[in-house]
Amino acid sequence: MTQLRWLLAGLALQNVGRRKARTALLAAAVAISCAIAFAGGVMLRSIAASMAVGFSRLGADLMVVQADALTNITAALLAVEPTDQTIQADLFGAPIAGVARVAPQRVFRTDQAGFGGHGESADLIGFDSERDFTVLPWIAERLGRRMQSGDVIVGAARDLPVGSEIVLFGRNFRIYARLGRTGVGTHERGIFMTSDDLLGLAPYVRERLGWVPPMLQRDRVSGFLVEITPGATELQVRFALLSRLSGIKVVAGETLLTGVRQGLEALLDGTLALVVMTSASTVIMVCVLFSAIVEERRSELGLLKAIGARRRQVVGLMVIEATIVTGAGGLIGVVFGELLLRLFARSVVYHLSTLGIPFLWLGTRDTVTIAVGCIVVAALIGAAGALAPAWRASRRDAYELILSGG
Amino acid sequence: MLACRALHKMYRTGSGSVEAVRNVELDVAAGEFTAIVGRSGSGKSSLMAMIGGLSRPDAGSIVIDGTDIWSLDDDALARFRNEAIGYVFQFASLLPTLRAIDNVALPALLRRRADRAGIAERAASLLTSVGLGSHFDAYPSEMSAGEQRRVAIARALINTPRLLLADEPGSDLDEQSEREVMIELLRANREGGATLLLVTHNLALAAEADRVVQMSDGAMAP
């Protein structure tokens, strides 16, 4: 049984070599599609990951604060402006149309923390590490572990080594990370910690100040940073927020940044659609070509049936042949795609790095998974393309096949 | 051994239908050599294709050794063709990408016999017996038409069929080659005991048969 399978596989392999030019062209077509799919897949996922960081660094699209708060908005919405005005922490209980992500922040500006020089003012910023998208993306240097309770992150302007300790209101904190330069004052000189750690300072603040500012109460926050969904406009979301939430003010940043982010996300989706269409056209091409090959081989298929080959063996022969050609094309395509990626790395990515724009390559494991996936899909495209014409031919009488094949 | 009853076969063409075989009744005894003669287009090849399990009749039945072959499903019919019937076509019918010895061995391999060495040995023996002992590794394109036809005979005999069907096996061969092919078929019939059904134009060859039947316009001539 195994011997027969090998014989059929050998027969298919020999058939592959019968029309070398045609086989080479088919493999080349599949290779090009596969190279586009592989390089495109790796690039798209890498770009998406880089964009996730890059866009987070652009900051939020909107900021929601208490209606009476005075704000001095900056180009990049990275941190809520320090103000004594607060709003309810559970303001965004239900989903709001057009809102993709919401990150609450508590900002406590004080010169009594006992930090740095006597009377030095510091912004203590409490953020929700699970929902944050404006602080963590800016980390430039960190300890080799996850952030935990008792850790703080310092802005780029704070000249303190990562791993060292600082004292705030008599409590020790370890500097877990330092942010990159943002050009935003609050961000540059801020001391960031989890909201729970900031709330945990309340008894020590009371002890020193004799009162607890409102943003150190669990049910209050200084404001929310809001990212809007692709397709939604700032005006739509602003209207939705104001109509759903009372006592708030909605502050917008640079609308241009929102437009760039939404535009690039749409471009990525469009590129993905192009890759899918390229693959679909390859499937159609393989189907058409193998219909012609099966027609050309009718006589041989009829002969095989005449000497006792079963239908599935006749079909299997054609499917194996197609799978060998397109699978080989897929393999060549992955190699070609890897070369394209290296070219991309030496040109565009290098240029981006000189501009200080990070590019996060996909991990080796994910890259290999995409490569193997491309080869398997290429082989399956061949199998799918040959299956229908081979199946149709196998249903015909052997004699009819022999005669119609000339 | 072979019983054909009320066989009909019709082909549809662009200009209408052609009745290739009409109400054919044929009985052949085991081991018998029967020659079918008739003019071109008389339905001989269509009848052979139906008997060989290659072309489904529009009506009627074909029973070989008690098996109504056209009542079998696809797989069973393929197995029956493989094990019980040897077919020699009137044209070159070898797979061009296989060597002579592989072409001969293929039906035995399709039979899923585990004894690959035995199959190779028998294929070599058959090729030697048809005078092609030095052509084991030759591809069809490297052999003459007569040599290819003898390879086809060796292939038809590899599974020791009970019924050997030869459809004008010498049609495009020179006289010497045609004679050599006939000698091999007769040997399979007389020494191997296979029932031989031969379609031929050559009345001299037909004269060597135990029985000659004539076809005309798709029917058996009286």
Side-chain angles (χ1 to χ4, degrees):
Chain A
M1 195 164 155
T2 308
Q3 293 161 349
L4 177 63
R5 202 169 290 156
W6 280 114
L7 183 85
L8 290 175
L11 199 56
L13 195 60
Q14 284 169 321
N15 284 337
V16 166
R18 284 168 74 178
R19 296 283 186 102
K20 292 184 176 63
R22 183 173 65 189
T23 301
L25 284 174
L26 174 59
V30 173
I32 290 169
S33 295
C34 199
I36 292 171
F38 171 63
V42 171
M43 267 192 251
L44 283 179
R45 289 194 58 185
S46 300
I47 291 170
S50 305
M51 278 172 57
V53 172
F55 288 143
S56 294
R57 287 187 166 189
L58 293 179
D61 299 313
L62 299 170
M63 183 164 72
V64 176
V65 293
Q66 207 273 341
D68 300 327
L70 294 173
T71 54
N72 178 22
I73 199 69
T74 58
L77 289 166
L78 300 175
V80 175
E81 288 289 299
T83 167
D84 286 340
Q85 304 294 331
T86 58
I87 52 179
Q88 284 174 267
D90 59 355
L91 198 64
F92 284 84
I96 294 176
V99 173
R101 290 193 289 184
V102 177
Q105 284 191 356
R106 294 177 166 87
V107 184
F108 173 33
R109 176 166 285 179
T110 178
D111 55 7
Q112 299 292 314
F115 167 71
H118 180 68
E120 181 178 334
S121 175
D123 289 329
L124 305 185
I125 303 170
F127 68 97
D128 183 340
S129 58
E130 297 297 318
R131 298 160 73 184
D132 169 74
F133 58 91
T134 64
V135 178
L136 296 176
W138 279 97
I139 287 178
E141 183 188 358
R142 75 171 84 200
L143 296 177
R145 58 168 174 77
R146 292 175 66 87
M147 189 177 177
Q148 58 194 35
S149 178
D151 285 343
V152 295
I153 299 169
V154 294
R158 298 282 180 189
D159 189 19
L160 295 164
V162 170
S164 63
E165 287 196 345
I166 58 172
V167 179
L168 299 170
F169 291 99
R171 295 209 62 201
N172 289 334
F173 288 88
R174 184 169 300 282
I175 297 177
Y176 167 74
R178 187 205 320 281
L179 303 182
R181 293 223 169 257
T182 64
V184 179
T186 318
H187 227 250
E188 293 275 283
R189 299 196 59 78
I191 297 169
F192 300 83
M193 62 184 74
T194 64
S195 274
D196 282 341
D197 277 355
L198 185 64
L199 293 172
L201 284 178
Y204 305 96
V205 172
R206 181 194 300 278
E207 198 175 292
R208 187 164 297 181
L209 303 183
W211 66 290
V212 176
M215 74 288 290
L216 295 191
Q217 295 168 18
R218 190 163 289 279
D219 60 343
R220 310 296 293 178
V221 295
S222 301
F224 294 90
L225 293 162
V226 176
E227 182 187 278
I228 65 179
T229 55
T233 66
E234 180 205 306
L235 198 63
Q236 288 170 333
V237 178
R238 181 193 287 263
F239 182 76
L241 289 170
L242 290 171
S243 64
R244 290 276 299 275
L245 311 172
S246 58
I248 62 157
K249 179 157 75 178
V250 179
V251 184
E254 284 283 359
T255 54
L256 176 64
L257 297 181
T258 303
V260 168
R261 178 171 59 75
Q262 290 178 326
L264 280 176
E265 281 175 3
L267 186 65
L268 274 184
D269 289 344
T271 309
L272 188 65
L274 274 178
V275 169
V276 170
M277 281 196 288
T278 306
S279 303
S281 69
T282 307
V283 174
I284 293 168
M285 184 192 69
V286 171
C287 275
V288 170
L289 190 57
F290 267 89
S291 291
I293 291 173
V294 167
E295 285 299 301
E296 187 183 286
R297 302 259 174 84
R298 277 182 302 191
S299 179
E300 285 169 42
L301 298 180
L303 191 63
L304 273 170
K305 285 190 77 173
I307 61 173
R310 297 170 192 205
R311 277 180 63 183
R312 61 175 174 273
Q313 290 168 334
V314 171
V315 173
L317 184 68
M318 296 306 299
V319 168
I320 291 170
E321 183 180 333
T323 304
I324 290 171
V325 177
T326 58
L331 187 63
I332 294 165
V334 165
V335 172
F336 186 50
E338 177 62 27
L339 293 177
L340 285 179
L341 288 174
R342 288 185 184 195
L343 190 67
F344 183 70
R346 289 186 178 200
S347 54
V348 180
V349 176
Y350 176 75
H351 183 62
L352 289 176
S353 67
T354 61
L355 297 174
I357 299 171
F359 190 86
L360 306 178
W361 280 107
L362 204 59
T364 307
R365 196 176 179 182
D366 287 339
T367 305
V368 170
T369 302
I370 291 178
V372 171
C374 284
I375 295 169
V376 170
V377 168
L380 288 177
I381 283 173
L387 187 62
W391 182 254
R392 275 200 305 274
S394 76
R395 292 179 63 183
R396 294 166 67 179
D397 278 346
Y399 195 62
E400 187 191 345
L401 283 170
I402 292 168
L403 291 184
S404 63
Chain B
M1 197 272 170
L2 167 68
C4 301
R5 295 286 172 264
L7 277 183
H8 282 269
K9 182 69 183 180
M10 189 172 284
Y11 292 112
R12 282 160 194 83
T13 66
S15 55
S17 298
V18 176
E19 196 166 24
V21 175
R22 291 184 291 124
N23 200 32
V24 164
E25 303 269 340
L26 177 66
D27 288 281
V28 177
E32 190 178 10
F33 170 20
T34 303
I36 303 175
V37 296
R39 298 179 62 180
S40 291
S42 60
K44 307 183 298 293
S45 292
S46 295
L47 175 63
M48 287 287 268
M50 289 189 285
I51 293 171
L54 307 181
S55 178
R56 182 176 290 277
D58 293 318
S61 67
I62 296 167
V63 177
I64 299 173
D65 276 347
T67 302
D68 182 351
I69 64 170
W70 287 105
S71 68
L72 299 174
D73 63 30
D74 269 348
D75 277 359
L77 180 57
R79 191 163 53 245
F80 192 87
R81 273 198 300 258
N82 177 260
E83 293 177 4
I85 300 172
Y87 208 110
V88 182
F89 294 91
Q90 60 179 307
F91 44 79
S93 60
L94 303 181
L95 291 172
T97 53
L98 294 184
R99 298 174 304 162
I101 194 152
D102 295 325
N103 262 292
V104 173
L106 187 56
L109 292 168
L110 287 169
R111 198 174 178 178
R112 295 167 182 249
R113 284 191 346 209
D115 179 18
R116 191 176 172 87
I119 291 171
E121 203 173 300
R122 177 157 169 75
S125 164
L126 282 166
L127 275 176
T128 304
S129 72
V130 296
L132 294 172
S134 59
H135 287 66
F136 291 175
D137 295 328
Y139 285 92
S141 59
E142 298 164 350
M143 291 186 282
S144 69
E147 288 169 337
Q148 287 187 46
R149 206 60 50 86
R150 280 186 280 157
V151 174
I153 292 172
R155 182 183 64 194
L157 297 174
I158 186 86
N159 283 338
T160 322
R162 287 165 277 165
L163 179 60
L164 187 55
L165 305 175
D167 184 3
E168 299 192 45
S171 62
D172 56 353
L173 303 182
D174 59 62
E175 202 172 321
Q176 175 63 24
S177 298
E178 185 178 24
R179 189 69 211 159
E180 286 170 1
V181 165
M182 266 316 295
I183 288 170
E184 299 307 332
L185 291 172
L186 286 171
R187 188 191 297 163
N189 169 245
R190 288 173 185 163
E191 296 173 17
T195 304
L196 176 60
L197 207 54
L198 171 74
V199 166
T200 183
H201 280 108
N202 190 327
L203 295 179
L205 292 179
E208 298 191 41
D210 300 322
R211 183 160 64 112
V212 177
V213 294
Q214 184 151 6
M215 284 191 76
S216 176
D217 290 334
M220 287 292 178

